[in-house]
Amino acid sequence: MKAAAFDYVRASSVDEICRLLADAGDEERKIIAGGQTLVPLMAMRMARPDMLIDINDVAELAGINDHGDHVSFGAGTRQRAIERSDIVSDRLPLVAKAVRNVGHQQTRNRGTIGGSIVHGDPSAELPMAALALEATMILRAVSGETEMPIDGFFEAAMVTNIEPEQLLTEIRIPVWQDARIGTGFHETSSRQGDFAIVAAAAQVALAEDGKVTRAAISVGGAAPSPVKLHGLEAALIGKSADGFQDIIALVDEEIDAETDVHATAEYRRRVTRKLVSRAIDDAIAEAGK
Amino acid sequence: MVDAPANLPNYRYVSRKRRTKEDRRFVSGRGKFVADVEVPGMKHVAILPSPHARANIISIDTSAALALPGVHYVLTGDELGEATSSLFHGLDLPNVIWHPLAVGMTRYAGEWVAAVVADSRYIAEDAAELIEVEYESLPAAVDSEKMIDEDQPLVHPAHGTNVLFRKTWEWGPVADDFASMPNTVSYRARWGRSSTVPIETFGVVAKWDDVNEIMDVWASIQMPQYQDQIAAALRIPMNQVRVHNDVDVGGSYGVKRGIKHTVLVTYLTKKLGFPVRFIEDRLDNMSGGDAHGPDRIFDITMAFDDEGVIKSMKIRALDDVGAYPGRAPLQLGKPMTALCGPYRINSIEYEAISVTSNKTGQVPVRGFGQSPTNFAIETGLERVAKHLGLDRIEVRARNLVRKDEFPWKIPPGSIYDSGDFHAVLDGIIKTSNWDDLVARRDALRAKGRLAGVGIATCLEPGGGNNIFEFLFNPKLEITTFVESVLMKVEPTGAITAVMCTTTSGQGHETLVSTIAGEELERDPDTIRVLHGDSLEALPTRSPVASRMAIVLGTATSKAARDIKSKMITIAAHDLGVEKDQIEYADGEFTVRGNPASKLTWAEICHIAHKQFHRMPPGHELGLQAYAVQQVPGAGGLPDENNEVPLYPCFSFQAHVPLVEIDPDTGKVKVHDYFIGHDCGTAINPDIVRGMIIGGVAHGIGAALYEKFEYDADGQLLAGTFVDYLLPSAHEIPPVVDSEHCTPSPLTSLGQKGSGEGGYLGAPAAIASAVNDALAPFDIEINELPIRARDIEAALYEKTR
Amino acid sequence: MKQVEVTLNVNGKDTTLTIPPRMTLVDCLRDELRLTGTHVGCEHGICGACSVFLDDEPIRSCLMFAVQAAGHRITTVEGLLNEDGSLSDLQDSFWECHAMQCGYCTPGMLVASESLLAENPDPSEDDIREAISGNLCRCTGYQQIVEAVQMTAKRRREGAANG
């Protein structure tokens, strides 16, 4: 399990990275940040880049900042930093709940939010949370900067809509300004710390009367990519804690579960409903406090 | 046999909490594992595996691989198959040929097709990708149940069938006993293909020295007759093979049996003239390492009275050993040792069927087939209780062999040496606060969760004696299972003991030094224990079968007692008295009733080595003893009824877990685990405790998480640690252990085996707890591993 | 083959090596620096046997290329020993509690545990299990490892209290 040979460049700026990506020609050049997804793929020779561009020294790619209406994450921000961030726990409680389910201390110390998103694992927790909250991704290339909504970014299992010459530099996750907000995150995995078999993330805002005024819901493991449940979100508006079970079946319409060695498609479908329901329950309860 | 103490003496070292001899090097990062062995000039091997479960090899083109700089050789099956002899099978299978690299045909996905030797493992892997193999893919034989009656693709066409072995034994009046009982239950229990999967893969380094004509081998090995099999395959005399036993083995639990790896590497070093190393990577290990475990279907009928007392049972066990059987089919034989568990069952019919398939090969796994069998038997005890509406503990208590009945002979011939099964069972019911556990279960249920309390007992045969092999293959007429120790006392008084196998975590240096220290009243910390190489070797059958405390331990006692006797002889001669007048205590040999007349330990050592003039006439110089210990009670062949005493010593355990199940996801959480055990005298309590708790963890893995899953085409779906799930510290609960001690009458200090019992009982106990949790829904799952999806699906079917 | 020169700081000592970029940190530690205390278990980031400290954080050294470690401090199990070569209190507790059998996962367990204790001097049993949950042990069932970490934590707290 040794990677195929590659050239290695330790980049010092975003501009340098973009130039290296632009000059790739026929070569496959890949970004390495934490390496927690990429290196195993390379060890199994399922990925074999000609060049690795190491972005770990690029200071502008790390950091969590509160901008009032959103929190920005440098793409190279470690999962461990997110776990420990007061900004995240205060402003993005859904992200805080999600990151607690990510891997183990050794992997969180290296793994980054950007790496997690660009690899597009169907059941990774941070992409799910970012998707639920409609994050915006900032992509840079020599030709300039592009803003891209995260919804639509995930194309298939381990495939995302990033061009070879693009670098994900930043993820902006909106902070809801509503008065009464609650979140819920539930997942089931074979072992604690594994990628989820199925996971569900929900954030709601409530009116004074306890009715949902705004909902953000996503699931992982229920389709080849993380899925935002637009239909259920819309249907949840106006519902209260004990009034949404009749619409939970809407989940089925937006997911596309598959069978693998860990679970059957039927299992994923049924459990997705249950976990979405639990996540909404938690979110409404928390918002009502 | 050595006389056992009548009751437990007040030991100084034995059974005391003492630090082990081995751990210091491990915490320092100074263990010496096979991947740490550096032989100057060694080259590295990478393997090209077959992508097909079954295929003809049409051609292999190695030219591009050989052209890569840094590549020294590419070996294929045709060359190796020609130059070496077929590897050993336990069964008599002359038409099942097994070579390290596929010859002509590949028989499972992952089977090795070619091996590259290069300057580094990195380059070797680059070259392996450049080998071009043309295959003719063929349909694969995957489903073990179809092998018997249905027309299936043949794994070994020359053998003519995929059935390797099929035989039925009857011990006792089965038909009469069935006729006399008012009740029967029949059930199926299924054990999934899992294994012990040590964190260290298998590795081997070999160096052929053609001047001295010696093959040095360093390996991560735990296997009887390793050197014999290397010599046989290479067709060289055994005294040209030197296996270094001082390699620390990074876990084994039975499976470190890399004979094919070793034949590959020893052949290469002999051919190429430089040292060669092959360390499996995890992918090599999982798919091509031939280290899978039993994959078994049991169909059982039990006959019992209205009180739940079981009189007879019929067992049919169908085991899928994969493509190359090796010793694996004999794992259907070892369970005969305790085929009725700890229960007083009068007669047994046992049909054992071993089939081959297009899957990775099976090897001996912790307990050598006993854990699946114990799970199957305990499932029956649960069924009997359910059938009669009786308490599960009470049914077990009614069937257990009673304390005053030992030695107790079971139908296949084993003689249970000793025990107090009821005391251990009662003890764990008390320790676990059974009633509180049930109350906690019910409280969880009241909150809408599913919860269950489990119970299982198990018997752990220890000591070895593989005469059951004879029942499977009369050519294996082997009636010894020895272990040996050479003990030396230096002129200065320091003690050195030499044993001749590797260790894979069992703490043999601690075992030998503790017993030697106890016998000789010397501090074990001052006693050095060496692992002699196979040419310095004393007879050994390696640390399998929960046997080292029993056989190596008793050999150590014998050697130590021999040393002491020799020293007393010297003392008596020098002090001018008869031997029986010398008393030994605390390093001094004193004439009874005359405390001033004495010699110290050091003085006698000095005499023995240096002062011929003070030695008794004709007495051997120096101070050394060599003890070879046969398995107590073993040595005979089966009688005309196929009855034969198998393992000598029997440890007993009772397991009690509490589990909770998430009703929505089916996920099981093991909250608590209690285990009562009796392994006789514990030589080192921390080692025993670790073995037992570790065995439980391993059993929880087999019960809930681990399976080498295959698809219908014979592709392995769980070939990485992402898909084959070893339990972490989250999945294993705190385990509370409670000890009982019934010394064995057959061993020097009353010790028995303890390496397997945790694993033998835990799968049954977890299944019992899960099924208790599912009982309100009238669901019973008797197929391991029981995974969340299985539970959720069963609940969905019942409640939709 | 592509080679690069790299200077690594391991256990407080700088060494300059010429290695291929694709060499993992664990292979470099073991094969180039002959620090064989760090072990290889799976090479795909699951088992934790290769855990080492990168600066002050535990990481998996099979998921990092050695070239990436330049400019960082790496500490291996050999570097956990006291300066005089004696066992650290954590290593000593592992010995005292027999927190291992075969010893193969032990260096990684020590790294994971030391990291926890540096951050949390009074960990609960759950904290300990979480901290070592990325390190697989096949021998012990984890219990004696948990006990060794608890013992170390208690002794450190008592030591701190006694000044």
Side-chain angles (χ1 to χ4, degrees):
Chain A
M1 295 177 73
K2 309 297 183 191
F6 55 82
D7 288 314
Y8 172 81
V9 177
R10 190 185 280 219
S12 54
S13 71
V14 168
D15 286 344
E16 182 190 0
I17 298 165
C18 292
R19 267 199 314 279
L20 286 165
L21 290 173
D23 294 345
D26 293 339
E27 282 191 0
E28 187 187 5
R29 296 183 172 178
K30 281 203 86 94
I31 304 295
I32 185 163
Q36 304 300 291
T37 305
L38 179 61
V39 179
L41 293 173
M42 291 174 69
M44 296 179 199
R45 300 201 174 191
M46 293 159 71
R48 38 194 324 148
D50 301 293
M51 177 189 283
L52 276 190
I53 305 168
D54 188 335
I55 64 169
N56 285 290
D57 282 0
V58 183
E60 61 193 294
L61 285 175
I64 303 169
N65 289 293
D66 187 349
H67 303 274
D69 64 339
H70 72 273
V71 173
S72 67
F73 297 82
T77 306
R78 310 275 178 213
Q79 292 153 358
R80 189 74 152 173
I82 297 171
E83 182 187 359
R84 290 169 170 162
S85 163
D86 291 338
I87 295 175
V88 172
S89 55
D90 290 350
R91 310 280 288 158
L92 294 173
L94 185 62
V95 175
K97 284 183 184 172
V99 78
R100 286 203 280 272
N101 289 280
V102 175
H104 302 282
Q105 59 166 334
Q106 294 97 324
T107 60
R108 292 194 296 271
N109 281 331
R110 291 296 291 168
T112 63
I113 183 171
S116 186
I117 289 174
V118 295
H119 277 105
D121 190 291
S123 57
E125 292 86 356
L126 285 175
M128 274 176 57
L131 176 63
L133 297 174
E134 301 179 351
T136 299
M137 296 185 301
I138 311 302
L139 304 168
R140 275 276 290 278
V142 168
S143 56
E145 191 168 277
T146 314
E147 291 191 14
M148 185 190 270
I150 195 167
D151 204 355
F153 181 68
F154 303 110
E155 181 151 313
M158 310 302 284
V159 182
T160 51
N161 283 315
I162 188 165
E163 298 300 324
E165 70 274 15
Q166 285 182 317
L167 169 72
L168 173 64
T169 57
E170 186 178 322
I171 298 97
R172 295 178 185 158
I173 303 184
V175 176
W176 290 9
Q177 307 299 322
D178 311 66
R180 303 173 70 201
I181 292 171
T183 59
F185 191 98
H186 280 271
E187 79 168 45
T188 189
S189 53
S190 301
R191 296 170 299 191
Q192 202 169 323
D194 284 349
F195 273 126
I197 293 176
V198 174
Q203 178 164 314
V204 299
L206 297 189
E208 282 302 315
D209 61 1
K211 298 245 164 55
V212 174
T213 57
R214 193 176 176 191
I217 305 165
S218 67
V219 293
S225 307
V227 176
K228 187 166 167 69
L229 301 178
H230 296 283
L232 185 64
E233 287 174 353
L236 198 59
I237 306 300
K239 303 283 184 187
S240 54
D242 50 5
F244 69 88
Q245 282 307 327
D246 57 325
I247 57 164
I248 207 75
L250 289 173
V251 167
D252 293 9
E253 294 171 18
E254 294 184 83
I255 63 174
D256 179 18
E258 294 181 346
T259 294
D260 67 10
V261 69
H262 297 293
T264 58
E266 295 75 29
Y267 177 86
R268 290 177 195 276
R269 272 198 292 277
R270 292 193 293 259
V271 173
T272 301
R273 276 198 203 184
K274 303 276 175 111
L275 296 189
V276 168
S277 178
R278 284 186 190 179
I280 295 172
D281 267 336
D282 281 8
I284 292 178
E286 194 177 274
K289 274 183 194 162
Chain B
M1 212 175 301
V2 177
D3 292 336
N7 44 37
L8 268 187
N10 189 17
Y11 294 121
R12 321 170 162 223
Y13 306 118
V14 163
S15 294
R16 302 278 176 196
K17 177 170 175 60
R18 291 179 49 77
R19 291 186 179 218
T20 68
K21 267 192 131 51
E22 296 84 354
D23 290 4
R24 186 173 184 178
R25 63 177 182 264
F26 296 134
V27 298
S28 310
R30 296 275 290 276
K32 181 181 154 192
F33 298 92
V34 64
D36 306 338
V37 172
E38 192 179 31
V39 182
M42 71 184 177
K43 307 297 181 195
H44 304 262
V45 171
I47 294 293
L48 178 69
S50 165
H52 302 286
R54 185 163 170 270
N56 288 321
I57 299 171
I58 307 300
S59 65
I60 303 179
D61 181 353
T62 62
S63 54
L66 279 166
L68 193 74
V71 172
H72 297 276
Y73 200 67
V74 180
L75 180 66
T76 62
D78 284 345
E79 177 185 338
L80 187 62
E82 194 69 30
T84 58
S85 298
S86 174
L87 303 176
F88 171 80
H89 295 303
L91 299 174
D92 187 16
L93 299 168
N95 296 314
V96 177
I97 305 301
W98 183 21
H99 289 292
L101 301 177
V103 181
M105 181 183 214
T106 72
R107 294 183 168 84
Y108 63 90
E111 183 175 3
W112 303 350
V113 172
V116 177
V117 185
D119 285 340
S120 75
R121 171 80 189 205
Y122 288 81
I123 296 171
E125 289 191 22
D126 294 344
E129 288 186 317
L130 299 174
I131 300 170
E132 286 182 28
V133 185
E134 188 187 340
Y135 296 99
E136 179 196 6
S137 180
L138 301 168
V142 177
D143 185 341
S144 64
E145 283 193 276
K146 292 182 180 163
M147 304 303 183
I148 299 170
D149 300 321
E150 293 183 34
D151 197 21
Q152 287 286 300
L154 291 177
V155 180
H156 295 275
H159 182 65
T161 166
N162 288 338
V163 177
L164 299 173
F165 182 82
R166 183 174 191 175
K167 188 170 176 180
T168 304
W169 294 270
E170 187 179 320
W171 294 288
V174 174
D176 291 351
D177 285 347
F178 263 75
S180 71
M181 286 293 108
N183 308 294
T184 60
V185 290
S186 296
Y187 59 95
R188 169 166 280 205
R190 188 159 190 159
W191 178 275
R193 195 177 194 87
S194 58
S195 189
T196 65
V197 193
I199 305 302
E200 182 207 47
T201 58
F202 183 81
V204 53
V205 180
K207 177 189 175 210
W208 170 251
D209 175 341
D210 61 357
V211 173
N212 294 302
E213 296 188 312
I214 195 153
M215 180 71 76
D216 279 301
V217 178
W218 296 263
S220 176
I221 192 77
Q222 181 208 1
M223 182 166 80
Q225 303 165 91
Y226 181 50
Q227 50 271 22
D228 315 33
Q229 293 186 39
I230 299 169
L234 295 183
R235 302 164 186 157
I236 60 177
M238 253 183 86
N239 66 1
Q240 289 187 5
V241 178
R242 178 162 60 193
V243 176
H244 293 265
N245 290 314
D246 59 349
V247 175
D248 289 315
V249 178
S252 173
Y253 336 95
V255 305
K256 289 275 178 71
R257 308 223 171 196
I259 185 63
K260 79 170 185 185
H261 315 55
T262 306
V263 170
L264 174 74
V265 165
T266 50
Y267 171 77
L268 283 168
T269 182
K270 200 158 186 284
K271 161 134 192 148
L272 301 175
F274 47 72
V276 176
R277 147 174 138 147
F278 173 54
I279 309 290
E280 284 178 337
D281 68 21
R282 188 52 63 183
L283 299 181
D284 296 328
N285 172 263
M286 303 286 276
S287 65
D290 285 338
H292 290 189
D295 180 351
R296 218 173 265 190
I297 300 170
F298 294 93
D299 290 299
I300 297 183
T301 304
M302 288 186 171
F304 50 99
D305 68 15
D306 293 334
E307 305 302 309
V309 175
I310 302 161
K311 191 146 192 200
S312 185
M313 61 179 176
K314 297 176 184 174
I315 305 176
R316 178 183 189 263
L318 169 65
D319 192 49
D320 176 352
V321 299
Y324 296 97
R327 268 177 70 80
L330 302 175
Q331 292 197 87
L332 287 165
K334 148 75 190 301
M336 293 174 178
T337 306
L339 196 53
C340 46
Y343 305 116
R344 308 163 77 255
I345 294 175
N346 191 55
S347 59
I348 306 174
E349 178 190 293
Y350 182 51
E351 181 182 13
I353 309 169
S354 179
V355 300
T356 181
S357 70
N358 291 114
K359 296 179 195 161
T360 301
Q362 177 192 121
V363 284
V365 161
R366 198 170 200 163
F368 206 48
Q370 196 88 45
S371 192
T373 305
N374 197 68
F375 159 66
I377 295 169
E378 285 297 291
T379 300
L381 271 288
E382 300 273 297
R383 293 294 295 261
V384 168
K386 190 170 159 184
H387 183 89
L388 297 173
L390 293 173
D391 178 76
R392 294 175 289 163
I393 302 167
E394 180 59 29
V395 167
R396 286 177 170 85
R398 288 177 188 175
N399 284 285
L400 289 174
V401 179
R402 291 188 290 265
K403 182 185 178 182
D404 56 6
E405 292 178 319
F406 294 100
W408 172 264
K409 186 179 173 203
I410 66 165
S414 278
I415 298 165
Y416 294 174
D417 62 322
S418 61
D420 188 347
F421 301 167
H422 290 89
V424 175
L425 182 61
D426 291 347
I428 203 61
I429 296 304
K430 284 195 192 75
T431 302
S432 66
N433 291 311
W434 176 271
D435 292 341
D436 284 358
L437 281 183
V438 170
R440 281 176 58 200
R441 175 195 72 182
D442 293 344
L444 285 163
R445 287 179 179 178
K447 285 197 299 185
R449 309 291 281 185
L450 310 183
V453 183
I455 174 81
T457 69
C458 71
L459 205 56
E460 177 181 0
N465 176 14
N466 47 353
I467 192 59
F468 58 80
E469 295 178 358
F470 179 79
L471 297 172
F472 279 64
N473 179 2
K475 289 184 179 172
L476 297 179
E477 193 178 299
I478 298 165
T479 53
T480 57
F481 218 74
V482 295
E483 211 53 50
S484 323
V485 165
L486 171 65
M487 199 174 292
K488 306 182 293 175
V489 186
E490 311 297 346
T492 56
I495 301 166
T496 301
V498 185
M499 55 177 285
C500 279
T501 79
T502 54
T503 293
S504 41
Q506 304 94 332
H508 301 138
E509 294 164 35
T510 303
L511 169 74
V512 169
S513 61
T514 304
I515 291 180
E518 188 69 47
E519 296 282 2
L520 296 171
E521 303 182 44
R522 310 300 287 173
D523 182 352
D525 290 347
T526 67
I527 298 173
R528 184 168 295 279
V529 181
L530 302 177
H531 297 257
D533 68 48
S534 67
L535 289 184
E536 296 162 344
L538 317 160
T540 172
R541 299 285 289 191
S542 87
V544 296
S546 275
R547 64 189 295 269
M548 294 307 258
I550 295 167
V551 194
L552 181 66
T554 298
T556 303
S557 286
K558 272 172 92 170
R561 290 172 194 181
D562 192 11
I563 294 266
K564 188 157 89 177
S565 170
K566 287 177 176 179
M567 294 177 85
I568 288 172
T569 303
I570 296 168
H573 175 73
D574 199 61
L575 295 171
V577 296
E578 291 301 311
K579 270 187 79 173
D580 60 8
Q581 287 183 270
I582 298 291
E583 288 177 336
Y584 175 68
D586 279 334
E588 293 192 334
F589 298 82
T590 309
V591 176
R592 186 177 297 113
N594 184 4
S597 182
K598 66 180 180 186
L599 286 167
T600 65
W601 178 274
E603 285 167 334
I604 294 183
C605 295
H606 187 70
I607 292 169
H609 283 275
K610 306 271 177 78
Q611 296 185 316
F612 184 74
H613 61 285
R614 291 173 72 182
M615 287 289 280
H619 200 273
E620 181 185 71
L621 288 171
L623 268 175
Q624 54 277 324
Y626 171 35
V628 181
Q629 179 65 40
Q630 160 72 325
V631 173
L637 290 171
D639 66 15
E640 65 283 5
N641 300 318
N642 288 317
E643 289 176 23
V644 61
L646 294 164
Y647 288 29
C649 300
F650 292 82
S651 302
F652 177 77
Q653 300 193 332
H655 299 236
V656 174
L658 170 68
V659 307
E660 178 181 347
I661 302 174
D662 182 326
D664 290 342
T665 64
K667 187 169 174 175
V668 177
K669 169 86 184 158
V670 185
H671 278 298
D672 297 272
Y673 205 106
F674 300 89
I675 179 166
H677 61 91
D678 182 353
C679 62
T681 304
I683 305 301
N684 181 299
D686 282 347
I687 288 180
V688 167
R689 181 163 174 258
M691 283 280 161
I692 286 165
I693 298 174
V696 167
H698 189 176
I700 290 173
L704 297 175
Y705 302 102
E706 301 177 35
K707 188 176 181 189
F708 289 110
E709 191 92 54
Y710 280 86
D711 71 12
D713 298 323
Q715 289 294 328
L716 177 62
L717 302 177
T720 72
F721 275 2
V722 179
D723 302 313
Y724 186 95
L725 306 175
L726 307 180
S728 81
H730 280 309
E731 282 67 53
I732 305 303
V735 178
V736 175
D737 56 319
S738 143
E739 282 144 53
H740 190 87
C741 179
T742 310
S744 173
L746 304 177
T747 57
S748 59
L749 300 170
Q751 67 272 29
K752 300 180 177 181
S754 68
E756 298 171 348
Y759 180 58
L760 303 190
I766 294 292
S768 166
V770 168
N771 283 320
D772 184 43
L774 297 175
F777 300 86
D778 198 25
I779 295 169
E780 189 179 316
I781 300 177
N782 292 328
E783 177 169 346
L784 303 186
I786 305 173
R787 285 167 296 190
R789 62 176 188 247
D790 308 320
I791 294 172
E792 190 273 346
L795 286 167
Y796 176 74
E797 288 302 320
K798 284 283 181 183
T799 56
R800 69 175 177 172
Chain C
M1 204 168 44
K2 294 162 183 168
Q3 301 270 327
V4 291
E5 188 171 283
V6 60
T7 300
L8 295 182
N9 180 284
V10 181
N11 299 331
K13 191 176 153 211
D14 279 341
T15 310
T16 300
L17 301 160
T18 302
I19 54 171
R22 63 169 163 166
M23 178 175 279
T24 57
L25 178 57
V26 65
D27 283 351
C28 184
L29 293 170
R30 292 179 48 80
D31 298 337
E32 301 294 318
L33 298 174
R34 295 302 300 161
L35 290 169
T36 55
T38 303
H39 295 150
V40 175
C42 70
E43 291 185 287
H44 56 287
I46 306 292
C47 78
C50 65
S51 297
V52 300
F53 281 100
L54 182 78
D55 301 323
D56 297 314
E57 306 273 23
I59 60 140
R60 303 201 190 289
S61 61
C62 73
L63 294 189
M64 187 168 184
F65 297 106
V67 284
Q68 296 186 276
H72 297 275
R73 287 175 290 113
I74 300 152
T75 308
T76 68
V77 64
E78 292 90 345
L80 297 182
L81 292 163
N82 295 325
E83 278 186 17
D84 63 0
S86 60
L87 299 181
S88 74
D89 56 353
L90 181 68
Q91 289 168 318
D92 193 61
S93 297
F94 265 60
W95 184 14
E96 184 168 348
C97 294
H98 188 50
M100 72 208 74
Q101 286 167 34
C102 78
Y104 199 75
C105 75
T106 307
M109 285 289 179
L110 288 165
V111 167
S113 306
E114 192 60 69
S115 162
L116 169 72
L117 292 173
E119 194 166 322
N120 181 354
D122 191 9
S124 67
E125 173 160 356
D126 281 349
D127 294 335
I128 297 170
R129 287 182 180 271
E130 168 61 23
I132 63 170
S133 66
N135 295 68
L136 298 173
C137 169
R138 223 28 188 162
C139 294
T140 62
Y142 305 102
Q143 187 139 326
Q144 284 152 303
I145 298 172
V146 170
E147 289 165 7
V149 178
Q150 286 171 327
M151 175 185 282
T152 310
K154 183 161 177 282
R155 288 180 177 169
R156 284 188 190 179
R157 289 197 306 275
E158 287 167 359
N162 297 335

